[in-house]
Amino acid sequence: MSIWSSLRTPRQAPSPTERGAAADAVELALLAGVKRGRRADFDALYRLYHPRLWRFLTQLLRQPDAIEEALNDTLLVVWQRADSFDGRSKLSTWIFGIAYRKGLKALSRQDLPVDDEGVPEAADTGPGPEQQLGQVQLRERLREAMGELSPEHRAVVELCYFHDMAYGEIADVVGCPAETVKTRMFYARRRLRTLLDDLAGHGGALS
């Protein structure tokens, strides 16, 4: 191929699937280094997962001290027990599964009350600068509503809507059948719809 034809035919950007596979390969390479005791590889994996785990555990626990403790406990397991990852699931599923169990353990120590239902459908306020205030208010209402859900329901919503996990992956993370995940999502959506309607009724701008 001549230089002119290469200039006329731009290189095609990788698809989301290709980018995801490349990211998975990078993470697995880092874990292989962790298994060999390479601190630099663990530090790189830590930087990749810290913000994602922080968001997930924030929704589950909502207590800064408990969030930090559960996050550190999770990553300590990754460092100390990297050999226990057997490759039957995605690495992210394994790590989030550890975080979920550490989060539930932290909740049991807090002895916080939990409700029986929970979860949202992503709301689309539409594009346009004139709606930015409405979007901010909606996010705040969603945050309030999420706080009313049980930890189990908050977890499935967070993993589905904000971490793009399929039901099968969520089932592996939280340790239950995929059908149970679907049931939790059903009740969560119903509960959140009610909560968001109530908040909108009191808030005005988006009602």
Side-chain angles (χ1 to χ4, degrees), residues 61 63 107-114 154:
L61 300 173
Q63 297 287 337
L107 277 174
S108 68
R109 289 197 296 268
Q110 292 175 18
D111 194 26
L112 297 178
V114 258
R154 285 202 302 269

Side-chain angles (χ1 to χ4, degrees), residues 64-105:
D65 291 345
I67 294 163
E68 188 66 45
E69 180 183 356
L71 196 156
N72 287 335
D73 287 348
T74 298
L75 291 169
L76 183 62
V77 171
V78 174
W79 170 249
Q80 293 180 335
R81 301 183 57 193
D83 284 334
S84 66
F85 176 67
D86 58 15
R88 287 186 292 180
S89 66
K90 293 175 65 173
L91 178 59
S92 59
T93 303
W94 180 68
I95 293 176
F96 272 89
I98 297 169
Y100 181 68
R101 291 188 293 275
K102 294 296 182 182
L104 290 183
K105 186 175 180 181

Side-chain angles (χ1 to χ4, degrees), residues 10-204:
R11 185 177 175 184
Q12 186 176 357
S15 69
T17 300
E18 290 170 332
R19 289 195 297 271
D24 290 345
V26 169
E27 292 179 7
L28 288 172
L30 291 174
L31 187 71
V34 174
K35 290 179 179 181
R36 294 193 294 270
R38 293 184 55 178
R39 184 58 184 266
D41 287 338
F42 174 74
D43 290 346
L45 203 60
Y46 182 100
R47 288 192 296 271
L48 282 174
Y49 274 89
H50 188 281
R52 297 166 63 187
L53 294 174
W54 180 270
R55 179 187 175 94
F56 173 61
L57 290 167
T58 295
Q59 288 297 334
L60 187 64
L61 300 173
R62 314 184 77 81
Q63 297 287 337
D65 291 345
I67 294 163
E68 188 66 45
E69 180 183 356
L71 196 156
N72 287 335
D73 287 348
T74 298
L75 291 169
L76 183 62
V77 171
V78 174
W79 170 249
Q80 293 180 335
R81 301 183 57 193
D83 284 334
S84 66
F85 176 67
D86 58 15
R88 287 186 292 180
S89 66
K90 293 175 65 173
L91 178 59
S92 59
T93 303
W94 180 68
I95 293 176
F96 272 89
I98 297 169
Y100 181 68
R101 291 188 293 275
K102 294 296 182 182
L104 290 183
K105 186 175 180 181
L107 277 174
S108 68
R109 289 197 296 268
Q110 292 175 18
D111 194 26
L112 297 178
V114 258
D115 75 20
D116 248 357
E117 299 182 347
V119 176
E121 282 179 357
D124 182 10
T125 60
E130 73 282 359
Q131 293 180 330
Q132 289 181 358
L133 177 60
Q135 291 174 343
V136 170
Q137 291 172 326
L138 181 60
R139 284 195 295 271
E140 177 60 22
R141 287 175 187 162
L142 181 58
R143 185 191 66 78
E144 286 184 55
M146 288 280 283
E148 296 297 319
L149 302 181
S150 69
E152 292 80 6
H153 290 140
R154 285 202 302 269
V156 296
V157 175
E158 178 72 17
L159 292 170
C160 179
Y161 285 101
F162 301 107
H163 296 279
D164 296 322
M165 288 192 182
Y167 285 171
E169 293 176 277
I170 297 172
D172 288 340
V173 168
V174 303
C176 70
E179 289 303 316
T180 301
V181 172
K182 293 178 184 178
T183 301
R184 289 180 185 179
M185 287 293 288
F186 171 80
Y187 286 110
R189 286 193 185 99
R190 189 174 68 176
R191 175 68 169 156
L192 278 173
R193 188 178 296 114
T194 300
L195 290 168
L196 289 171
D197 285 346
D198 289 346
L199 289 168
H202 288 93

